[in-house]
Amino acid sequence: EDQVTQSPEALRLQEGESSSLNCSYTVSGLRGLFWYRQDPGKGPEFLFTLYSAGEEKEKERLKATLTKKESFLHITAPKPEDSATYLCAVPDYGGSQGNLIFGKGTKLSVKP
Amino acid sequence: NAGVMQNPRHLVRRRGQEARLRCSPVKGHSHVYWYRQLPEEGLKFMVYLQKENIIDESGMPKERFSAEFPKEGPSILRIQQVVRGDSAAYFCASSLQKNTEAFFGQGTRLTVV
């Protein structure tokens, strides 16, 4: 059973058109939710960690929020350079809890 | 302040050969993780190591795959007798502590021909 589900799978926006990406998780007792950005041919780049419901983190045009069941990555007035795949992940509670379980990602394309 | 360094970036092996992938974590990080990514699929956990110890290898196939993180030197992911299905991008990540943010390398893209 998937523990991390991201939607939509792909999102195409015009430059300046704000939107949100969703990450829902089924684990209980969350001990961290992580957002990453991955460009083609590159490794994931760390963006944010959220630990508790109600928490928010911001970086440039990105803002991540967390509730008890899901997280959102809000993109305000995106630019073409924001085009990438955005991944969210949670620690694996069934294992050693050291590794992360990743969603399949949302592929964002921002057109000028 | 170097991040996670992986080499080689690209590796081509014939079926039956061995592949050795290297990973130097962020300086000061003692937790290392290996993940595999297939085209159009998500990152899948393989193994979690902490200096000289394998903490969790539940995601790693029991045959042909092994990993180590010696006291000195990089972490090594070793794949023996590679098959075409091993072709993928292999990523290494490191963290300062368990359950804190992990930083990824640029990956090694293995192609088995």
Side-chain angles (χ1 to χ4, degrees):
Chain A
E1 180 185 350
D2 287 339
Q3 293 178 269
V4 182
T5 304
Q6 292 188 247
S7 63
E9 289 186 14
L11 182 61
R12 304 179 88 169
L13 299 174
Q14 288 296 127
E15 185 172 2
E17 180 186 1
S18 300
S19 188
S20 296
L21 282 54
N22 177 266
C23 171
S24 62
Y25 55 92
T26 56
V27 297
S28 59
L30 186 70
R31 293 172 199 164
L33 184 142
F34 302 85
W35 281 99
Y36 287 85
R37 167 191 171 131
Q38 187 174 24
D39 292 291
K42 302 278 185 70
E45 174 190 347
F46 171 74
L47 293 174
F48 304 109
T49 308
L50 301 165
Y51 285 106
S52 56
E55 188 175 359
E56 297 183 354
K57 294 263 180 85
E58 283 190 68
K59 180 180 180 180
E60 296 181 356
R61 295 176 291 282
L62 300 177
K63 182 168 82 172
T65 62
L66 182 66
T67 71
K68 288 186 178 180
K69 290 295 182 185
E70 58 192 347
S71 177
F72 292 93
L73 185 65
H74 308 278
I75 303 176
T76 303
K79 298 182 177 181
E81 53 261 42
D82 295 322
S83 298
T85 296
Y86 290 85
L87 305 169
C88 75
V90 299
D92 181 6
Y93 297 99
S96 61
Q97 301 183 25
N99 60 286
L100 297 174
I101 298 175
F102 281 85
K104 292 187 176 180
T106 294
K107 186 174 182 179
L108 174 66
S109 299
V110 182
K111 302 297 182 186
Chain B
N1 186 16
V4 176
M5 304 299 290
Q6 290 188 249
N7 66 81
R9 289 293 309 278
H10 301 274
L11 183 62
V12 179
R13 283 288 177 265
R14 297 185 187 279
R15 280 177 295 170
Q17 290 185 320
E18 178 180 289
R20 278 185 180 242
L21 288 60
R22 296 175 191 77
C23 168
S24 295
V26 172
K27 189 175 181 181
H29 286 191
S30 60
H31 300 256
V32 166
Y33 317 85
W34 286 92
Y35 291 82
R36 177 163 64 179
Q37 189 174 43
L38 293 166
E40 306 306 321
E41 291 192 21
L43 283 156
K44 300 294 184 186
F45 166 73
M46 298 182 73
V47 60
Y48 165 28
L49 308 105
Q50 191 178 2
K51 276 297 183 181
E52 299 185 88
N53 294 306
I54 296 175
I55 306 301
D56 182 354
E57 56 184 349
S58 59
M60 196 160 66
K62 292 197 177 348
E63 296 182 358
R64 302 189 297 108
F65 286 73
S66 62
E68 62 178 15
F69 188 17
K71 188 176 180 181
E72 301 291 337
S75 175
I76 305 287
L77 179 67
R78 181 183 177 201
I79 311 172
Q80 294 178 289
Q81 299 174 336
V82 296
V83 300
R84 286 221 171 110
D86 296 331
S87 296
Y90 292 83
F91 291 97
C92 170
S94 73
S95 66
L96 189 59
Q97 298 174 359
K98 191 172 77 169
N99 279 342
T100 60
E101 50 268 23
F103 296 91
F104 283 78
Q106 297 290 36
T108 293
R109 277 146 191 86
L110 172 66
T111 303
V112 180
V113 296

